[in-house]
Structures are given as C-alpha cells and as structure tokens.
C-alpha cells in the first residue's frame, strides 16, 4: 500500500523542519518533499476498492498537524508475564499506539523476572502476536532483581534485550553495580539505573516535608534518590561506561547530572510527565492514584526538572507507565502500590512544556523520539529508506482526559478529568496504521 502524508509540519530534529509531504510505500519512507503550497488541498490517487479489496493508495491530510519520527517510550511496565490482570503485552501495545508511541521498552520486573533469554524471547513472541507497536525488552541487571549476582548479558542481548535495569529494585551493592557497568559495556548494553537508597527510604510513602507531616505519613527525602545518582555518576566515571538515570524527580539529582555532563561523564537521564506537571500537593486527600516512587516532590523540585529539560540536562521524557488494578490502589495510602499509567496521556501533558515556553516543539520531539533512539541505538528518523515509523500530532485539539476511553487495562492516573490541549491522532509502524483518531 502507498500512503501520502500531505501538508504537515515534518519535524525530524537535526535533520528536517518544514511543511512537507511524506510518501510511504511497502512499509518504507520513499520520499520527503517540501510542500511549497501547503494551502493547496491534497490530491489523492486512491483507487476505488471493492468490498473484498483494500485500497492501493491513500492520502492523509496532515495540514495544521505535526509529523514526527515515531515516538519511543524507553520506560514502560507491561506486567506480562505474571500480572496480566493489570496489563498484558497486547493491551499495553494498544495503549502505546493510542498515545502516539511506535516503540516501547518494557522493564524486567515481571514474574518471572526477565533475567534470562527464555523470558526475553517470550516477551518478543507475545509482542509479535500483538502486532501493534515495536517492543524492546529491558533485561535485569541482577538475577531475580535481588542485587547479588549478575545475569548473562550476552545471552540476553542475543535474545533481543536492548538494555539492562533492575528498575523497581535499586542495586544497593556498589561493587556489583561497578561490575554490571563494566560487563554491560563489553556487550554495548546501556545500563538504566533506578536510583534509590533503601536505608533512606525507611518506609516513606510521600515526599519528606511539611506536607508529609501534615498528612501524618512517613516521608522520603530527596537524598534517597540523589545520593544514588551521585554514586552511579561516580561509577560511570570510574568505569568509563555509560549510565542512564531513570525517573529523575529532585533538584539535587538535576544538579548532579548537569555537573557530570559538563565534565564529560557518560550520563544521560529521563524524567516523566508527572514530575514536571504535579507536586506533592496533588496527593490531595490521600489520593492513591498520585502515589508513586520516587514520589511527587516540591514545587522547587518540579521547577528544577523543567529547567533540566530546558537546558538539556535531562535527555528523555518517558512515562514510567505502571499499571495497577483497584486491588492495589483502593486501599490505605501507605499500603497502595506505587505508580501510575502514562502512555495515553504523555503527549498531551508534554505539549504543555511547549505552550509554557520550556521547550520548543523540535526539542520535545528530540526528547520523546530522537534521544531514546540514540541512547538505545535504535533506527529512527524521517529519512528515505527508513522504516515508516511515524507519529502525527494535532497540537490544537482540546479534550478532557477520560480513563474510560483508555486502551490500558488499568485506570490508575491522577490526570483523569484534566483538560488538555494536543494529542497524537495517528500512529504508523512499518507503514501500517496502528492507531487513528480524528483525522481523515
């Protein structure tokens, strides 16, 4: 099938930014041509289809919309195997597609843990059956996420793993983390670090400060995250191995990463929309949908995260999509599961950064597509010959987030009912349209 995407603002950071037409054929980008007359109505070469025949060509009018390389979420929890009542690979892929993502990286804290090639292959097989978006497994750093013995990184990479992480369980043993960085470097596998000092965590459930005191809840200090960020920066410097810091939430972490980058340390970092949108006050009256780890922080931390995005200290916006059912969330606050879903709200929430002048639109695309691909060494970009992984975003749609319209099996989000502007309206993977909404 031939598809012509006509008249959109095509943004491929560092490569292309103009009103243009994109021709897709047999799953590949064939041509990108600047459109000298974007107001001219698109022409179509569509052939009439019989009831048993698919059209051989189609023209998509992308006038007023943004056309980007497929968005990549490098931090997602799909829950399968082991917790399919929260999310399956199929439902997670559908949620990703409806959120504008053409590729997602799934974390290893499943049951069984993705610490061996059999689990990695199982995930890829299930993703192939789902046949929606690309799924890239992230394997465990340590066996069983227990932080005591390293996994077989060579076998995991051969099976299809694109990175390693003990996300959800920090690697507390500094010597083990050093060996993991050295070992992973030999296989060219990025290390994604969940930075948390369990001794400082000490049973905390919200950000430490006046809010926690007022709510009568044990607090988590900023240092719980930042001291481990500093440790992993030091280990990266020692081993000359790259490290990627997950879900950055504190001012101190941003400062440490910024300083490390200035002296040439191979560190990259991500944050999530909830950390640049919400604060601890949004926990409200013990709203478990606003309980996550790291927790929502202070206004000062939120501003530091936004500054880190603006100056390039933070490279990536990821969702940390963490589905939970009512079983885990409709309980006492201190007993509730950590995490929120984010695949279907990320684009809308992140576009607010552009509206607020924190980022330019091409910088946002860089953080949601180009940089994740660079860190994970994935093919990316709107270039002739590349796979047609494309996202189309309408920046002007006004709508209210409604969890009942989500594809995810879970509903745990503090953003339900929020009015937002802009969303992904078409997602294409390998030339196949896997999601389409409000576009002809």
């Amino acid at each position: 099938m031939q598809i012509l995407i006509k008249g959109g603002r095509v943004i491929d950071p560092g490569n292309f930014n103009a009103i243009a037409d994109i021709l897709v054929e047999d799953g590949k980008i064939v041509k990108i041509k600047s459109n000298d007359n974007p107001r001219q109505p698109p022409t179509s070469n569509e052939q009439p289809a019989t009831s048993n025949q698919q059209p051989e060509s189609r023209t998509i009018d992308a006038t007023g919309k943004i056309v980007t390389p497929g968005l990549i979420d490098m931090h997602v929890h799909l829950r399968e195997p082991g917790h399919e009542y929260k999310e399956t690979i199929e439902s997670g892929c559908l949620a990703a597609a409806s959120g504008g993502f053409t590729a997602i990286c799934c974390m290893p804290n499943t049951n069984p843990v993705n610490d061996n090639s059999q689990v990695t292959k199982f995930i890829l097989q299930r993703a192939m059956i789902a046949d929606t978006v690309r799924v890239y497994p992230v394997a465990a750093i340590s066996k069983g996420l227990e932080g005591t013995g390293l996994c077989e990184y060579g076998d995991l990479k051969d099976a299809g793993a694109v990175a390693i992480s003990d996300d959800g369980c920090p690697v507390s043993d500094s010597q083990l983390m050093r060996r993991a960085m050295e070992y992973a470097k030999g296989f060219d596998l990025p290390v994604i670090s969940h930075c948390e000092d369990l001794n400082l965590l000490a049973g905390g459930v919200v950000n430490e400060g006046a809010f926690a005191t007022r709510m009568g809840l044990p607090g988590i200090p900023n240092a719980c995250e930042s001291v481990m960020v500093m440790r992993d920066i030091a280990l990266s410097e020692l081993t000359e191995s790259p490290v990627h810091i997950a879900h950055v939430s504190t001012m101190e972490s941003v400062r440490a990463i910024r300083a490390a980058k200035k002296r040439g340390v191979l560190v990259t970092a991500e944050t999530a929309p909830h950390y640049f949108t919400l604060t601890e006050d949004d926990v409200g009256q013990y709203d478990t949908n606003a309980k996550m780890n790291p927790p929502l922080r202070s206004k000062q931390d939120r501003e530091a995260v936004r500054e880190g995005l603006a100056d390039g200290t933070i490279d990536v916006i990821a969702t940390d999509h963490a589905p939970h059912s009512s079983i885990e969330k409709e309980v006492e606050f201190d007993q509730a599961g950590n995490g929120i879903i984010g695949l279907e709200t990320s684009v809308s929430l992140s576009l607010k950064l552009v509206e607020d002048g924190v980022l330019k639109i091409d910088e946002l695309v860089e953080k949601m597509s180009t940089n994740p691909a660079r860190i994970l060494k994935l093919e990316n970009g709107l270039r002739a010959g590349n796979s047609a992984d494309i996202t189309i975003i309408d920046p002007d749609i006004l709508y209210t987030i409604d969890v009942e319209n989500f594809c995810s099996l879970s509903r745990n989000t503090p953003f339900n009912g929020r009015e937002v502007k802009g969303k992904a309206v078409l997602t294409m993977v390998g030339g196949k349209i896997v999601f389409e909404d409000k576009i002809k």
Side-chain angles (χ1 to χ4, degrees):
M1 184 176 181
Q2 185 183 87
I3 299 174
L4 178 64
I5 301 171
K6 193 171 181 66
R9 182 181 173 189
V10 177
I11 299 177
D12 185 359
N15 179 45
F16 197 92
N17 188 337
I19 303 297
D21 302 336
I22 300 178
L23 181 63
V24 173
E25 199 169 287
D26 297 329
K28 300 281 187 181
I29 296 171
V30 175
K31 184 188 296 185
I32 301 177
K33 183 177 182 242
S34 293
N35 189 333
D36 298 328
N37 190 9
R39 294 187 180 181
Q40 182 178 339
T43 58
S44 172
N45 296 319
E46 289 186 21
Q47 302 295 322
T50 66
S51 59
N52 297 320
Q53 181 182 11
Q54 292 297 316
E56 294 180 359
S57 65
R58 179 183 172 189
T59 297
I60 296 170
D61 182 5
T63 303
K65 299 173 178 65
I66 298 162
V67 183
T68 77
L71 303 184
I72 301 171
D73 189 344
M74 64 181 292
H75 194 140
V76 170
H77 299 270
L78 290 180
R79 303 305 190 200
E80 185 180 2
H83 300 102
E84 289 83 355
Y85 68 98
K86 300 183 185 184
E87 195 82 282
T88 64
I89 291 170
E90 180 181 21
S91 66
C93 287
L94 289 170
S98 71
F101 293 97
T102 62
I104 53 177
C105 300
C106 56
M107 291 295 152
N109 54 337
T110 50
N111 184 21
V113 171
N114 183 15
D115 60 2
N116 62 80
S117 60
Q118 287 83 1
V119 177
T120 304
K121 290 175 182 176
F122 169 82
I123 292 168
L124 290 172
Q125 288 167 356
R126 297 294 293 170
M128 187 178 298
I129 293 169
D131 191 26
T132 313
V133 304
R134 302 185 193 277
V135 175
Y136 296 103
V138 176
I141 290 174
S142 66
K143 295 175 183 177
L145 305 178
E146 295 176 353
T148 56
L150 300 181
C151 299
E152 296 288 348
Y153 298 162
D155 287 349
L156 288 164
K157 181 170 184 177
D158 288 344
V162 297
I164 57 169
S165 178
D166 271 7
D167 189 63
C169 301
V171 179
S172 298
D173 187 328
S174 297
Q175 179 74 318
L176 188 81
M177 191 61 162
R178 173 188 179 173
R179 297 305 181 208
M181 288 186 184
E182 291 171 333
Y183 188 22
K185 183 181 179 182
F187 292 101
D188 200 23
L189 278 171
V191 177
I192 301 173
S193 180
H194 173 114
C195 292
E196 181 181 31
D197 186 320
L198 294 178
N199 292 313
L200 284 171
L201 179 67
V205 293
V206 292
N207 186 49
E208 184 175 282
F211 176 81
T213 301
R214 188 166 64 250
M215 300 294 284
L217 295 169
I220 304 172
N222 282 20
C224 181
E225 172 182 299
S226 61
V227 296
M228 293 294 272
V229 169
M230 295 174 195
R231 182 205 71 172
D232 286 348
I233 287 171
L235 292 176
S236 173
E237 208 162 8
L238 172 67
T239 61
E240 297 183 349
S241 303
V243 65
H244 180 79
I245 308 298
H247 41 58
V248 171
S249 71
T250 73
M251 175 172 54
E252 294 84 356
S253 296
V254 174
R255 288 175 177 171
I257 294 163
R258 181 181 291 121
K261 285 191 168 188
K262 284 182 179 177
R263 58 178 194 271
V265 180
L266 300 174
V267 58
T268 55
E270 71 183 48
T271 193
H274 38 280
Y275 296 122
F276 58 72
T277 304
L278 305 177
T279 70
E280 58 192 345
D281 293 332
D282 290 291
V283 173
Q285 293 299 308
Y286 306 96
D287 181 6
T288 58
N289 283 326
K291 185 189 179 192
M292 57 207 68
N293 188 27
L296 296 174
R297 301 288 187 179
S298 68
K299 291 185 175 74
Q300 290 82 2
D301 291 306
R302 180 181 64 184
E303 291 312 303
V305 168
R306 288 162 72 93
E307 289 170 10
L309 286 164
D311 67 13
T313 298
I314 299 175
D315 306 85
V316 171
I317 294 172
T319 66
D320 196 1
H321 178 80
H324 285 299
S325 75
S326 58
I327 296 171
E328 291 81 27
K329 284 295 189 178
E330 293 181 9
V331 294
E332 295 87 348
F333 192 90
D334 58 348
Q335 299 298 314
N338 287 312
I340 69 172
I341 53 175
L343 284 168
E344 294 169 89
T345 56
S346 180
V347 168
S348 301
L349 296 171
S350 298
L351 281 168
K352 189 68 167 60
L353 294 171
V354 179
E355 184 180 336
D356 292 345
V358 177
L359 295 174
K360 297 176 182 176
I361 185 62
D362 58 328
E363 293 172 329
L364 180 63
V365 174
E366 194 172 43
K367 293 182 189 297
M368 298 187 74
S369 179
T370 311
N371 286 349
R374 171 178 55 82
I375 292 165
L376 297 168
K377 301 175 178 64
L378 305 176
E379 180 189 279
N380 181 258
L382 301 178
R383 300 173 181 84
N386 277 10
S387 180
D389 290 8
I390 298 171
T391 301
I392 301 180
I393 297 168
D394 187 331
D396 298 319
I397 287 179
L398 294 169
Y399 76 102
T400 301
I401 294 171
D402 182 355
V403 295
E404 295 309 314
N405 295 327
F406 282 4
C407 294
S408 173
L409 295 185
S410 293
R411 299 289 181 263
N412 53 307
T413 175
F415 296 112
N416 189 41
R418 177 180 285 244
E419 293 185 358
V420 289
K421 182 180 180 182
K423 73 186 296 288
V425 291
L426 187 143
T427 309
M428 178 185 292
V429 180
K432 175 186 174 184
I433 296 173
V434 295
F435 169 78
E436 187 171 9
D437 179 34
K438 295 183 180 179
I439 187 168
K440 300 297 183 183

